[in-house]
Amino acid sequence: ALFLRVSLFRLKDLEVAELGDSDVHVKMLAAPINPADINMIQGTYALLSSLPTVGGNEGVGEVLEVGRRVAALKPGDWVIPASTGLGTWRTQGVFPEKLLLKVPSDIPMLCAATLSVNPCTAYRMLTDFETLAPGDSVIQNAANSGVGQAVIQIAKASGIKTINVVRDRPDLAKLVERLMALGADHVITEEMLRKPEMKDLFKGIPKPRLALNCVGGKSTTDMLRHLQPKGTMVTYGGMAKQPVMVPVSAFIFQDVRLRGFWITQWKKDHAQDQERLASMMDALYQLIRRGQLTAPACTEVPLQDYKAALEAAMRPFTSSKQILLF
């Protein structure tokens, strides 16, 4: 099945569209392969592209030329997609100005390329569901994912403690070390969630008011057990492809709240609220400039090796995001 999916792709030479008055001609610099990109190709995502199409929802490019009505961008500026579905796996493209967001070019290229999805998701989930103060804690599964790594760093910068759940794996010690170096307070396996030793962990850290779920299935049910009464669990992914199971007691006696989050929808809902978007982006730029938010662990791959990159992105236990370079 893996081979079949990758064989759906072709590298094609196409003419660059003509530059309209409100268009921007962009030379792509780097674009990641995210799980949502793969899901869109598989047809299992909420957004479906009409085929044939260019893959990729995220990345950073440099402006080469602008149409005569374009005021906010000029050649040399760096831009990222303002919303999903831009088709970033290409060397060049002509896009309407309103589909692009200018980013400062003094931040590292890989940070810019991976900025519009994972760090924005992490930032909103930490901000919008519970009012967290320094010393509070958050628990999350898939802590080694792109969002997970961003959650660890953004929480750390705000003085919020993180309990990070990962699947057991052969190189577990190496992964734990890497997440601790990012600022994780605790890294535990899914099996540990069920053990009585969890009580000891909560002697030194308050129980979390917020749980972030990207997995589903058993991992989620086990994570819920450790949530404070009236706490919130936010689901933003379903990597186990299993439903979220919640014990009745968690609803009745703990009064937990279950919410969902999708950054694409958030951006749609706030399309007119430019201030809110700008304040989030500024906060993220500041964290990057201060070295408090880095790009996730990345493997840089030239575009012509896209097949190998796609295959690597679909392997289990991937701890490195594949980034196409143009």
Side-chain angles (χ1 to χ4, degrees), residues 51-108:
L51 299 171
T53 190
V54 179
N57 291 299
E58 193 179 28
V60 63
E62 183 184 330
V63 174
L64 293 178
E65 198 186 348
V66 299
R68 59 191 182 89
R69 286 216 196 104
V70 174
L73 294 170
K74 61 184 189 308
D77 284 346
W78 277 14
V79 288
I80 62 174
S83 58
T84 312
L86 200 64
T88 53
W89 300 345
R90 62 173 105 205
T91 54
Q92 295 186 25
V94 169
F95 309 107
E97 179 187 18
K98 65 174 192 291
L99 296 184
L100 302 169
L101 198 62
K102 181 179 168 179
V103 295
S105 52
D106 68 338
I107 62 175

Side-chain angles (χ1 to χ4, degrees), residues 57-168:
N57 291 299
E58 193 179 28
V60 63
E62 183 184 330
V63 174
L64 293 178
E65 198 186 348
V66 299
R68 59 191 182 89
R69 286 216 196 104
V70 174
L73 294 170
K74 61 184 189 308
D77 284 346
W78 277 14
V79 288
I80 62 174
S83 58
T84 312
L86 200 64
T88 53
W89 300 345
R90 62 173 105 205
T91 54
Q92 295 186 25
V94 169
F95 309 107
E97 179 187 18
K98 65 174 192 291
L99 296 184
L100 302 169
L101 198 62
K102 181 179 168 179
V103 295
S105 52
D106 68 338
I107 62 175
M109 184 178 73
L110 292 183
C111 285
T114 55
L115 187 60
S116 64
V117 178
N118 294 340
C120 291
T121 298
Y123 183 90
R124 295 264 56 104
M125 292 194 304
L126 286 169
T127 309
D128 293 352
F129 295 93
E130 289 282 346
T131 310
L132 299 171
D136 284 345
S137 79
V138 173
I139 189 167
Q140 64 165 345
N141 54 23
N144 57 312
S145 67
V147 172
Q149 293 174 59
V151 164
I152 290 170
Q153 294 175 85
I154 296 167
K156 171 87 174 168
S158 313
I160 294 159
K161 311 277 185 204
T162 55
I163 302 157
N164 301 281
V165 185
V166 295
R167 285 185 296 174
D168 201 0

Side-chain angles (χ1 to χ4, degrees), residues 138-145 148 152 162-169 172 175 179 184 186-194 198 212 215 219-220 222-223 226:
V138 173
I139 189 167
Q140 64 165 345
N141 54 23
N144 57 312
S145 67
I152 290 170
T162 55
I163 302 157
N164 301 281
V165 185
V166 295
R167 285 185 296 174
D168 201 0
R169 62 194 64 215
L172 181 66
L175 176 61
L179 297 183
H186 298 277
V187 182
I188 59 175
T189 61
E190 292 186 339
E191 289 71 27
M192 243 203 88
L193 275 176
R194 291 170 217 138
M198 283 298 286
L212 305 176
V215 178
S219 155
T220 312
D222 291 331
M223 207 166 56
H226 304 295

Side-chain angles (χ1 to χ4, degrees), residues 250-269:
F251 277 129
I252 298 172
F253 304 121
Q254 301 295 102
D255 192 16
V256 297
R257 272 182 293 242
L258 298 194
R259 300 287 306 273
F261 183 77
W262 186 29
I263 191 67
T264 302
Q265 190 63 49
W266 187 91
K267 285 182 177 171
K268 251 185 228 159
D269 293 346

